[in-house]
Amino acid sequence: MSLAPRWCEMADTAPAMKLVSCFALLLLTIPGLAAASNARPNILWITCEDTSPHLGAYGDAFAVTPRLDAFARQGVRYTQAFAYTGVCAPSRSCLITGVYPLRLGSHHMRSTAKLPPDFKLFPAYLRAAGYHASNNVKEDYNFVTPPGTWDESSNRAHWRKRAPGQPFFAVFNFTVTHQSQIFCDDARYRQNTKRLTPAQRSDPDQVTVPPFHPDTPEFRQEWARHYENVTAMDYQVGDVLDELEQDGLADDTIVFFFSDHGTGMPGVKMWAWGPSLQVPLLVRFPPKWAHLAPAAPGGTTDRMVSFVDFAPTVLSLAGLELPAHFQGTAFLGAKAGAARTFVFGGKDRQGEAVDGLRYVRDARFQYIRNFHPHLPHGQYMSYNWQHASMRRWEQLHLSGRLSGPSARFFAPRKPMEELYDVRSDPWQVKNLAADPAYAGELARLRDLLAAEMSAAGDLGLLPERELHARSAARAPYLIATDARANPLADLRRAADLANRMDPRQAPALAELLRAPDAAVRWWGATGLLALRADAAPARTALLAALDDDSPDVRIAAAETLAHLGALDRTLAVLEAALKSDDIFARLSALGAAHRLGAAARPLLPVIRNAKLVVPGQKDASDYVGRMVEYLPGRIGG
């Protein structure tokens, strides 16, 4: 009886090609022979969630991570590894595609981007080359996973399901360190950490509280919980490593360990400061593949790597050609490129809180450009307010008891630009952007960021509704470099004007309200909104904008007019938006009502009926639903 699969007998190929293919498959079915002929490494990703480099191997004396510390001694420790942003879904979309989320249209948290019809995620290239690709279990890419990406993606996926001797790429993701497991109930927490010994428990009194957090019992307790969750994850990592050893595969497998972004604590997760972005990255090379390692076992490398580099790196290690659309650079393997000198990324809408920033970071500085400086860092997000620490932080703010770095989070506005010396200020609490001594660095990094946004095809200066409307017939990826659909240069000029928050610019912003492009007009309205009462010279233009074709423009103009004594006009526009079938208009109107506070109380009957489910926009609908539930309490209804 033939050991080759039956489809080999039926293959509709040329005879010679069929013979070669079937012979190769036959080799895979013969124990020992297949392993001996395998000249490509297996690649294993062990990933966790919401964890900065809080490991003993990274010098954190409070961390209890014996298995990962031992793993680090066997492998190479990367000291400069960065997620795209400080939250999971956009960062995961970057990992799996090798393309920046701001180019894919997957940059907003819990959004649904449409990919081009022929777009492949990187495991599909591995599968085409004969690899078995399994994912256990999380995807969460902000888009639907294309067919053919994985052999299996489930909580049962495993390399053990591959054909005998077949090389594999496998992902095992652990969620015990996720933000939600910090504020979960006590029963769940005890279950999560049941393997910890008494000596492995964390004492809240010994926790180092970052300077941007108020030092309260709530923060100490939650930081201690996070460390215990990391120890629980360390056990799980050990389980997978043990399975690899038991299966006799450790000598043929390159193993990565990393997190999807920084720690899941308030003011860290969902932002883009250094602690939000920097992740642990450990890579172990067995002796067979030691020539691919950048350092000896137990060594370190300061090579800067970004999540956009991971897809090309895996294909490079597998000996494959790199697709031309990749925006990252392989940092290992035959296709490794020159070491990058900076990383680039951003932050956009998080939950129901609309925001936007872009950053570049090199070995010395991180520069941040805030595109919504008129809004505070600490916008309300119902998910984050499940933290006892977050609620306490807000209470301290409302009672006027915050000072120093911990007060920054709730400041009513953000600076347009932030600049941090990450060597001397790793927590990034001293903004150097206004310091004349750093003017040269500020200008250099400002220009670098603008160039990167342009080169990447950044879609982030389009309002989210416009992004979806303009890409409805095509994928966002395909309109990113279309100067008509995404006029990035014009949008950047409009945003620069809007973000100055300079009352002298009110006439120029009013002029933007007459621009042909709706997104440019929206930036004009947003700039006037930032001026509040100082937008009075543009009152006539704002009133005319209430009839604009774009809901984004109408809502921003209406919110501005509330600060100019035209509240009735404001409420009429917001009510119409809340009754519309446009889910993004509802989301924007609810956000405006939240900011207006008690002045928006006449809208409460409409707000309570503003839930809307739109096919294809489930996640935006979910955030609207959340706001409908909590807004009456937040604005005093």
Side-chain angles (χ1 to χ4, degrees), residues 340-417:
R340 60 170 59 248
T341 56
F342 63 90
V343 294
F344 161 65
K347 171 200 173 208
D348 293 275
R349 176 179 57 74
Q350 299 294 332
E352 60 269 42
V354 174
D355 206 349
L357 66 82
R358 296 291 178 264
Y359 69 83
V360 286
R361 175 178 173 137
D362 62 19
R364 176 77 184 275
F365 296 99
Q366 181 169 340
Y367 168 78
I368 297 172
R369 170 68 165 86
N370 287 302
F371 285 98
H372 293 270
H374 63 292
L375 299 175
H377 290 295
Q379 294 186 74
Y380 183 84
M381 283 182 271
S382 56
Y383 191 82
N384 275 350
W385 259 249
Q386 295 181 72
H387 282 274
S389 63
M390 186 72 257
R391 297 191 297 272
R392 179 61 174 156
W393 201 357
E394 184 183 41
Q395 289 169 359
L396 292 172
H397 161 65
L398 293 174
S399 62
R401 286 184 285 169
L402 292 177
S403 61
S406 69
R408 171 180 67 177
F409 190 72
F410 285 106
R413 294 185 170 188
K414 302 187 287 286
M416 180 175 168
E417 296 181 304

Coordinates of all heavy atoms in Angstrom, one line a residue, residues 340-417:
R340 N 17.9 48.8 11.5 CA 17.2 50.1 11.5 C 17.7 51.0 12.5 O 18.3 50.6 13.6 CB 15.7 49.9 11.7 CG 15.3 49.2 13.0 CD 13.7 49.3 13.2 NE 12.9 48.6 12.2 CZ 12.1 49.3 11.4 NH1 12.0 50.6 11.5 NH2 11.4 48.6 10.5
T341 N 17.6 52.3 12.3 CA 18.1 53.3 13.3 C 16.9 53.9 14.1 O 17.2 54.8 15.0 CB 18.9 54.4 12.5 OG1 18.0 55.0 11.5 CG2 20.1 53.9 11.9
F342 N 15.7 53.6 13.7 CA 14.6 54.1 14.5 C 13.4 53.2 14.2 O 13.3 52.4 13.3 CB 14.2 55.6 14.1 CG 13.8 55.7 12.6 CD1 12.5 55.6 12.3 CD2 14.7 55.9 11.6 CE1 12.1 55.7 10.9 CE2 14.4 56.0 10.3 CZ 13.0 55.9 9.9
V343 N 12.4 53.4 15.1 CA 11.1 52.7 14.9 C 10.0 53.8 14.8 O 10.2 54.9 15.2 CB 10.7 51.7 16.0 CG1 11.7 50.5 16.1 CG2 10.7 52.4 17.4
F344 N 8.9 53.4 14.1 CA 7.9 54.3 13.8 C 6.5 53.6 14.1 O 6.4 52.4 13.9 CB 8.0 54.6 12.3 CG 6.8 55.2 11.6 CD1 6.3 56.5 12.0 CD2 6.2 54.5 10.6 CE1 5.2 57.0 11.3 CE2 5.1 55.1 9.9 CZ 4.6 56.3 10.3
G345 N 5.6 54.4 14.5 CA 4.3 53.8 14.8 C 3.3 54.9 15.2 O 3.5 56.1 15.0
G346 N 2.2 54.5 15.8 CA 1.2 55.5 16.2 C 0.2 54.9 17.2 O 0.2 53.8 17.7
K347 N -0.8 55.7 17.4 CA -2.0 55.4 18.2 C -3.2 56.1 17.6 O -3.1 57.3 17.3 CB -1.8 55.8 19.7 CG -3.0 55.7 20.5 CD -2.9 56.5 21.8 CE -4.3 56.5 22.5 NZ -4.5 57.7 23.3
D348 N -4.3 55.4 17.5 CA -5.5 56.0 17.0 C -6.7 55.8 18.0 O -6.4 55.6 19.2 CB -5.8 55.6 15.6 CG -4.7 56.1 14.6 OD1 -4.8 57.2 14.1 OD2 -3.7 55.4 14.4
R349 N -7.9 55.7 17.4 CA -9.0 55.5 18.4 C -8.8 54.3 19.2 O -8.5 53.2 18.7 CB -10.3 55.3 17.6 CG -11.5 55.0 18.5 CD -12.8 54.9 17.8 NE -12.8 53.9 16.7 CZ -12.9 52.6 17.0 NH1 -12.9 52.1 18.2 NH2 -12.8 51.7 15.9
Q350 N -8.9 54.4 20.5 CA -8.9 53.3 21.5 C -10.3 53.2 22.1 O -10.7 54.1 22.8 CB -7.8 53.6 22.6 CG -6.4 53.8 22.0 CD -5.9 52.5 21.4 OE1 -6.3 51.4 21.8 NE2 -5.0 52.6 20.5
G351 N -10.9 52.1 21.9 CA -12.3 52.0 22.4 C -13.1 53.0 21.8 O -13.1 53.3 20.6
E352 N -13.9 53.8 22.7 CA -14.7 54.8 22.2 C -14.1 56.2 22.2 O -14.7 57.2 21.8 CB -16.0 54.9 23.1 CG -15.7 55.1 24.6 CD -15.6 53.9 25.4 OE1 -14.9 52.9 24.9 OE2 -16.1 53.8 26.5
A353 N -12.8 56.2 22.5 CA -12.1 57.5 22.7 C -11.3 57.8 21.4 O -10.3 57.2 21.1 CB -11.1 57.5 23.9
V354 N -11.7 58.8 20.6 CA -11.1 59.2 19.4 C -9.8 59.9 19.7 O -9.8 60.8 20.6 CB -12.0 60.1 18.5 CG1 -11.2 60.6 17.3 CG2 -13.2 59.3 18.1
D355 N -8.7 59.5 19.1 CA -7.4 60.2 19.3 C -6.5 59.8 18.2 O -6.9 59.1 17.3 CB -6.8 59.7 20.7 CG -5.8 60.7 21.3 OD1 -5.5 61.6 20.6 OD2 -5.4 60.5 22.4
G356 N -5.3 60.4 18.1 CA -4.4 60.1 17.1 C -3.0 60.7 17.4 O -2.9 61.9 17.8
L357 N -2.0 59.9 17.3 CA -0.6 60.4 17.4 C 0.3 59.5 16.5 O -0.1 58.4 16.2 CB -0.2 60.4 18.8 CG 0.0 59.1 19.6 CD1 1.4 58.4 19.3 CD2 -0.1 59.3 21.1
R358 N 1.4 60.0 16.2 CA 2.5 59.3 15.5 C 3.8 59.5 16.3 O 4.0 60.6 16.9 CB 2.6 59.7 14.1 CG 1.4 59.4 13.2 CD 1.2 58.0 13.0 NE 0.0 57.7 12.2 CZ -1.2 57.3 12.7 NH1 -1.4 57.3 14.0 NH2 -2.2 57.1 11.9
Y359 N 4.7 58.5 16.2 CA 5.9 58.7 16.9 C 7.1 58.1 16.1 O 6.9 57.2 15.2 CB 5.9 57.9 18.3 CG 5.8 56.4 18.2 CD1 7.0 55.7 18.0 CD2 4.6 55.7 18.2 CE1 7.0 54.3 17.8 CE2 4.6 54.4 18.1 CZ 5.8 53.6 17.9 OH 5.8 52.3 17.7
V360 N 8.2 58.6 16.4 CA 9.5 58.0 15.9 C 10.4 57.9 17.2 O 10.4 58.8 18.0 CB 10.2 58.7 14.8 CG1 9.5 58.5 13.5 CG2 10.4 60.2 15.1
R361 N 11.1 56.8 17.2 CA 12.0 56.6 18.4 C 13.4 56.1 17.8 O 13.4 55.1 17.1 CB 11.4 55.7 19.4 CG 12.4 55.3 20.5 CD 11.7 54.4 21.5 NE 12.6 53.9 22.5 CZ 12.3 53.9 23.8 NH1 11.1 54.2 24.3 NH2 13.2 53.4 24.7
D362 N 14.5 56.7 18.2 CA 15.8 56.2 17.9 C 16.4 55.7 19.2 O 15.8 55.6 20.2 CB 16.6 57.2 17.1 CG 16.9 58.5 17.9 OD1 16.8 58.5 19.1 OD2 17.3 59.5 17.2
A363 N 17.7 55.5 19.2 CA 18.4 55.0 20.3 C 18.4 55.9 21.5 O 18.6 55.5 22.7 CB 19.9 54.6 20.0
R364 N 18.2 57.2 21.3 CA 18.3 58.2 22.3 C 17.0 59.0 22.6 O 16.7 59.3 23.8 CB 19.4 59.3 21.9 CG 19.5 60.4 22.8 CD 20.3 60.1 24.1 NE 20.4 61.2 25.0 CZ 21.3 62.2 24.9 NH1 22.2 62.2 24.0 NH2 21.3 63.2 25.8
F365 N 16.2 59.2 21.6 CA 15.0 60.1 21.8 C 13.7 59.4 21.2 O 13.8 58.6 20.3 CB 15.2 61.4 21.0 CG 16.3 62.3 21.6 CD1 17.5 62.3 20.9 CD2 16.1 63.0 22.7 CE1 18.6 63.1 21.4 CE2 17.2 63.8 23.2 CZ 18.4 63.8 22.6
Q366 N 12.6 59.8 21.9 CA 11.3 59.5 21.3 C 10.6 60.8 21.1 O 10.4 61.6 22.0 CB 10.5 58.5 22.1 CG 9.1 58.2 21.5 CD 8.3 57.1 22.2 OE1 8.9 56.3 22.9 NE2 7.0 57.1 21.9
Y367 N 10.1 60.9 19.8 CA 9.3 62.1 19.4 C 7.9 61.7 19.2 O 7.6 60.7 18.5 CB 9.9 62.7 18.2 CG 9.0 63.8 17.5 CD1 8.9 65.1 18.1 CD2 8.3 63.5 16.4 CE1 8.1 66.1 17.5 CE2 7.5 64.5 15.8 CZ 7.4 65.7 16.3 OH 6.6 66.7 15.8
I368 N 6.9 62.4 19.8 CA 5.5 62.1 19.6 C 4.8 63.4 19.0 O 5.0 64.5 19.5 CB 4.9 61.7 20.9 CG1 5.5 60.5 21.5 CG2 3.3 61.6 20.8 CD1 5.0 60.1 22.9
R369 N 4.1 63.2 18.0 CA 3.2 64.2 17.4 C 1.8 63.9 17.7 O 1.2 62.9 17.2 CB 3.5 64.3 15.9 CG 2.5 65.2 15.1 CD 2.7 66.7 15.5 NE 2.1 67.5 14.5 CZ 0.8 67.9 14.5 NH1 0.0 67.5 15.5 NH2 0.2 68.6 13.6
N370 N 1.1 64.7 18.6 CA -0.3 64.5 18.9 C -1.1 65.3 17.9 O -1.0 66.5 17.7 CB -0.5 65.1 20.3 CG 0.0 64.2 21.4 OD1 -0.3 63.0 21.5 ND2 0.9 64.7 22.2
F371 N -2.1 64.5 17.3 CA -2.9 65.2 16.3 C -4.3 65.6 16.9 O -5.1 66.1 16.2 CB -3.1 64.2 15.1 CG -1.9 64.2 14.2 CD1 -1.0 63.1 14.3 CD2 -1.7 65.2 13.3 CE1 0.1 63.1 13.5 CE2 -0.6 65.2 12.5 CZ 0.4 64.1 12.6
H372 N -4.5 65.3 18.2 CA -5.7 65.8 18.9 C -5.3 66.4 20.2 O -5.7 66.0 21.3 CB -6.7 64.6 19.1 CG -7.3 64.1 17.8 ND1 -8.5 64.6 17.3 CD2 -6.9 63.1 17.0 CE1 -8.8 64.0 16.2 NE2 -7.8 63.1 16.0
P373 N -4.4 67.4 20.1 CA -3.9 68.0 21.4 C -5.0 68.7 22.2 O -4.7 68.9 23.4 CB -2.8 69.0 20.9 CG -3.2 69.3 19.5 CD -3.8 68.1 19.0
H374 N -6.1 69.0 21.6 CA -7.2 69.6 22.4 C -7.9 68.7 23.3 O -8.7 69.1 24.1 CB -8.2 70.3 21.4 CG -8.9 69.3 20.5 ND1 -8.3 68.6 19.5 CD2 -10.2 68.9 20.5 CE1 -9.2 67.8 18.9 NE2 -10.3 68.0 19.5
L375 N -7.6 67.4 23.2 CA -8.2 66.4 24.0 C -7.2 65.9 25.1 O -6.0 65.8 24.8 CB -8.7 65.2 23.2 CG -9.8 65.5 22.1 CD1 -10.1 64.3 21.3 CD2 -11.0 66.1 22.8
P376 N -7.7 65.5 26.3 CA -6.7 65.0 27.3 C -6.2 63.6 27.0 O -6.9 62.9 26.2 CB -7.6 65.0 28.6 CG -9.0 64.8 28.1 CD -9.0 65.6 26.8
H377 N -5.1 63.2 27.5 CA -4.7 61.8 27.5 C -5.8 60.9 28.1 O -6.1 59.9 27.5 CB -3.4 61.6 28.3 CG -2.2 62.2 27.6 ND1 -1.7 61.9 26.4 CD2 -1.4 63.2 28.1 CE1 -0.6 62.6 26.1 NE2 -0.4 63.4 27.1
G378 N -6.3 61.4 29.2 CA -7.2 60.5 30.0 C -8.6 60.6 29.6 O -9.5 60.9 30.5
Q379 N -8.9 60.5 28.4 CA -10.3 60.4 28.0 C -11.0 59.1 28.6 O -10.3 58.1 28.7 CB -10.5 60.3 26.5 CG -10.0 61.5 25.7 CD -10.3 61.4 24.2 OE1 -11.5 61.5 23.8 NE2 -9.3 61.2 23.4
Y380 N -12.2 59.2 28.9 CA -12.9 58.1 29.6 C -13.1 57.0 28.6 O -13.5 57.1 27.4 CB -14.3 58.5 30.0 CG -15.1 57.4 30.8 CD1 -14.9 57.2 32.1 CD2 -16.0 56.6 30.1 CE1 -15.5 56.2 32.8 CE2 -16.7 55.6 30.8 CZ -16.5 55.4 32.1 OH -17.1 54.4 32.8
M381 N -12.7 55.8 29.0 CA -12.9 54.5 28.3 C -13.5 53.5 29.3 O -12.8 53.2 30.3 CB -11.6 54.0 27.6 CG -11.2 54.7 26.4 SD -9.7 54.0 25.6 CE -8.5 55.0 26.5
S382 N -14.7 53.0 29.0 CA -15.4 52.2 30.0 C -14.5 51.0 30.3 O -14.6 50.5 31.5 CB -16.7 51.8 29.4 OG -16.6 51.1 28.2
Y383 N -13.8 50.4 29.4 CA -13.0 49.2 29.7 C -11.9 49.5 30.7 O -11.7 48.8 31.7 CB -12.3 48.7 28.4 CG -11.7 47.4 28.6 CD1 -12.4 46.2 28.5 CD2 -10.3 47.2 28.8 CE1 -11.9 44.9 28.7 CE2 -9.7 46.0 28.9 CZ -10.5 44.8 28.9 OH -9.9 43.6 29.0
N384 N -11.2 50.7 30.6 CA -10.1 51.0 31.5 C -10.7 51.3 32.9 O -10.0 51.1 33.9 CB -9.3 52.2 31.0 CG -8.2 51.8 30.0 OD1 -7.9 50.6 29.9 ND2 -7.7 52.8 29.4
W385 N -11.9 51.8 33.0 CA -12.4 52.2 34.3 C -12.9 51.0 35.1 O -13.4 51.2 36.2 CB -13.6 53.2 34.1 CG -13.1 54.7 34.3 CD1 -13.5 55.5 35.3 CD2 -12.2 55.5 33.5 NE1 -12.9 56.7 35.3 CE2 -12.1 56.7 34.1 CE3 -11.5 55.2 32.4 CZ2 -11.3 57.7 33.7 CZ3 -10.7 56.2 31.9 CH2 -10.6 57.5 32.5
Q386 N -12.7 49.8 34.6 CA -12.9 48.6 35.4 C -11.8 48.5 36.4 O -11.9 47.7 37.4 CB -13.0 47.4 34.5 CG -14.3 47.4 33.6 CD -14.4 46.2 32.8 OE1 -14.7 45.1 33.3 NE2 -14.1 46.3 31.5
H387 N -10.6 49.1 36.2 CA -9.5 49.1 37.2 C -9.9 49.9 38.4 O -10.3 51.1 38.3 CB -8.3 49.8 36.5 CG -7.5 48.9 35.6 ND1 -6.6 48.0 36.0 CD2 -7.6 48.8 34.2 CE1 -6.1 47.4 34.9 NE2 -6.7 47.9 33.8
A388 N -9.7 49.4 39.6 CA -9.9 50.2 40.8 C -8.8 51.3 40.8 O -9.1 52.4 41.3 CB -9.7 49.3 42.0
S389 N -7.7 51.1 40.2 CA -6.6 52.1 40.2 C -7.1 53.3 39.3 O -6.8 54.4 39.6 CB -5.3 51.5 39.7 OG -5.4 51.0 38.4
M390 N -7.7 52.9 38.2 CA -8.1 54.0 37.3 C -9.2 54.9 37.9 O -9.2 56.1 37.8 CB -8.7 53.4 36.0 CG -9.0 54.3 34.9 SD -7.6 55.1 34.1 CE -7.6 56.7 34.8
R391 N -10.1 54.2 38.6 CA -11.2 55.0 39.3 C -10.6 55.9 40.4 O -11.0 57.0 40.6 CB -12.3 54.1 39.8 CG -13.0 53.3 38.7 CD -14.2 52.5 39.3 NE -13.9 51.5 40.3 CZ -13.6 50.3 40.0 NH1 -13.5 49.9 38.8 NH2 -13.4 49.4 41.0
R392 N -9.6 55.3 41.1 CA -9.0 56.1 42.1 C -8.2 57.3 41.5 O -8.2 58.4 42.1 CB -8.0 55.2 42.9 CG -7.3 55.9 44.0 CD -8.2 56.5 45.1 NE -7.4 57.1 46.2 CZ -7.9 58.0 47.0 NH1 -9.1 58.5 46.8 NH2 -7.2 58.4 48.0
W393 N -7.5 57.0 40.4 CA -6.8 58.1 39.8 C -7.7 59.3 39.4 O -7.4 60.4 39.6 CB -6.1 57.5 38.5 CG -4.9 58.3 38.0 CD1 -4.4 59.4 38.4 CD2 -4.1 57.9 36.9 NE1 -3.3 59.8 37.7 CE2 -3.1 58.8 36.7 CE3 -4.2 56.8 36.0 CZ2 -2.2 58.8 35.7 CZ3 -3.2 56.7 35.0 CH2 -2.2 57.7 34.9
E394 N -8.9 58.9 38.8 CA -9.8 60.0 38.5 C -10.3 60.7 39.7 O -10.5 61.9 39.7 CB -11.0 59.4 37.7 CG -12.0 60.4 37.2 CD -13.2 59.8 36.5 OE1 -13.7 58.8 37.0 OE2 -13.6 60.4 35.5
Q395 N -10.6 60.0 40.8 CA -11.1 60.7 42.0 C -10.0 61.7 42.5 O -10.4 62.8 42.9 CB -11.3 59.6 43.1 CG -12.6 58.7 42.8 CD -12.6 57.6 43.8 OE1 -11.7 57.4 44.6 NE2 -13.7 56.8 43.7
L396 N -8.8 61.3 42.5 CA -7.7 62.2 42.9 C -7.7 63.4 42.0 O -7.4 64.6 42.5 CB -6.4 61.5 42.9 CG -6.2 60.4 43.9 CD1 -4.9 59.6 43.7 CD2 -6.2 61.0 45.3
H397 N -7.9 63.2 40.7 CA -7.9 64.4 39.8 C -9.1 65.3 40.1 O -8.9 66.5 40.2 CB -8.0 63.8 38.3 CG -8.5 64.8 37.4 ND1 -7.8 66.0 37.0 CD2 -9.7 64.9 36.6 CE1 -8.5 66.7 36.1 NE2 -9.6 66.1 35.9
L398 N -10.3 64.7 40.3 CA -11.4 65.6 40.5 C -11.4 66.3 41.8 O -11.9 67.4 41.9 CB -12.7 64.7 40.4 CG -13.0 64.1 39.1 CD1 -14.2 63.1 39.2 CD2 -13.3 65.2 38.1
S399 N -10.6 65.8 42.8 CA -10.5 66.4 44.1 C -9.3 67.3 44.1 O -9.0 67.9 45.2 CB -10.4 65.4 45.2 OG -9.3 64.5 45.0
G400 N -8.6 67.5 43.0 CA -7.4 68.4 42.9 C -6.2 67.9 43.7 O -5.4 68.8 44.1
R401 N -6.0 66.6 43.8 CA -4.9 66.1 44.7 C -3.8 65.5 43.8 O -3.0 64.8 44.4 CB -5.5 65.1 45.7 CG -6.3 65.8 46.8 CD -6.7 64.8 47.9 NE -7.8 64.0 47.4 CZ -8.3 62.9 48.0 NH1 -7.6 62.4 49.1 NH2 -9.3 62.2 47.6
L402 N -3.8 65.7 42.5 CA -2.7 65.2 41.7 C -1.7 66.3 41.5 O -2.1 67.5 41.3 CB -3.2 64.7 40.3 CG -4.1 63.5 40.3 CD1 -4.6 63.2 38.9 CD2 -3.3 62.3 40.9
S403 N -0.4 66.0 41.4 CA 0.6 66.9 41.1 C 1.8 66.2 40.4 O 1.9 65.0 40.5 CB 1.1 67.7 42.4 OG 1.7 66.7 43.3
G404 N 2.6 66.9 39.8 CA 3.8 66.3 39.1 C 3.4 65.4 38.0 O 2.3 65.6 37.4
P405 N 4.2 64.4 37.6 CA 3.9 63.6 36.5 C 2.5 62.9 36.5 O 2.0 62.7 35.4 CB 5.1 62.6 36.5 CG 6.2 63.2 37.2 CD 5.5 64.1 38.3
S406 N 2.0 62.6 37.7 CA 0.7 61.9 37.7 C -0.4 62.7 37.3 O -1.5 62.2 37.0 CB 0.5 61.3 39.1 OG 0.3 62.3 40.0
A407 N -0.2 64.1 37.3 CA -1.3 65.0 36.9 C -1.4 65.1 35.4 O -2.4 65.6 34.8 CB -1.0 66.4 37.5
R408 N -0.3 64.7 34.7 CA -0.3 64.9 33.2 C -1.5 64.2 32.5 O -2.1 64.7 31.6 CB 1.0 64.3 32.6 CG 1.1 64.2 31.1 CD 2.4 63.6 30.6 NE 2.6 62.2 31.0 CZ 3.6 61.5 30.6 NH1 4.6 62.1 29.9 NH2 3.7 60.2 31.0
F409 N -1.9 63.0 33.0 CA -2.8 62.1 32.4 C -4.2 62.8 32.2 O -4.9 62.7 31.2 CB -3.0 60.8 33.2 CG -3.8 59.8 32.5 CD1 -3.3 59.1 31.4 CD2 -5.1 59.5 32.9 CE1 -4.0 58.1 30.7 CE2 -5.8 58.5 32.3 CZ -5.3 57.8 31.2
F410 N -4.6 63.6 33.2 CA -5.9 64.3 33.2 C -5.8 65.8 32.9 O -6.8 66.5 33.0 CB -6.6 64.1 34.6 CG -7.1 62.7 34.8 CD1 -6.5 61.8 35.6 CD2 -8.3 62.3 34.1 CE1 -7.0 60.6 35.8 CE2 -8.8 61.0 34.3 CZ -8.1 60.2 35.2
A411 N -4.7 66.2 32.4 CA -4.6 67.6 32.0 C -5.6 67.8 30.8 O -5.8 66.9 30.0 CB -3.2 67.9 31.5
P412 N -6.2 69.0 30.8 CA -7.3 69.2 29.8 C -6.8 69.1 28.3 O -7.6 68.8 27.4 CB -7.9 70.5 30.1 CG -6.8 71.2 30.9 CD -6.1 70.1 31.7
R413 N -5.5 69.4 28.1 CA -5.0 69.3 26.8 C -3.6 68.6 26.8 O -3.0 68.5 27.8 CB -4.8 70.7 26.2 CG -6.2 71.4 26.0 CD -6.0 72.8 25.3 NE -7.3 73.3 24.9 CZ -7.4 74.4 24.1 NH1 -6.3 75.1 23.8 NH2 -8.6 74.8 23.8
K414 N -3.2 68.2 25.6 CA -1.9 67.6 25.4 C -1.0 68.5 24.7 O -1.5 69.4 23.9 CB -2.0 66.3 24.6 CG -2.9 65.2 25.2 CD -2.8 63.9 24.4 CE -3.5 63.9 23.0 NZ -5.0 63.9 23.1
P415 N 0.3 68.4 24.8 CA 1.1 69.2 23.9 C 1.0 68.7 22.5 O 0.8 67.5 22.3 CB 2.5 69.0 24.5 CG 2.4 67.8 25.3 CD 1.0 67.6 25.8
M416 N 1.2 69.6 21.5 CA 1.2 69.1 20.1 C 2.4 68.2 19.9 O 2.3 67.3 19.1 CB 1.3 70.4 19.2 CG 1.3 70.1 17.8 SD 1.2 71.7 16.8 CE 1.6 71.1 15.2
E417 N 3.5 68.5 20.5 CA 4.7 67.7 20.4 C 5.3 67.3 21.7 O 5.3 68.1 22.7 CB 5.8 68.5 19.6 CG 5.4 68.9 18.2 CD 6.5 69.6 17.4 OE1 6.9 70.7 18.0 OE2 6.9 69.2 16.4

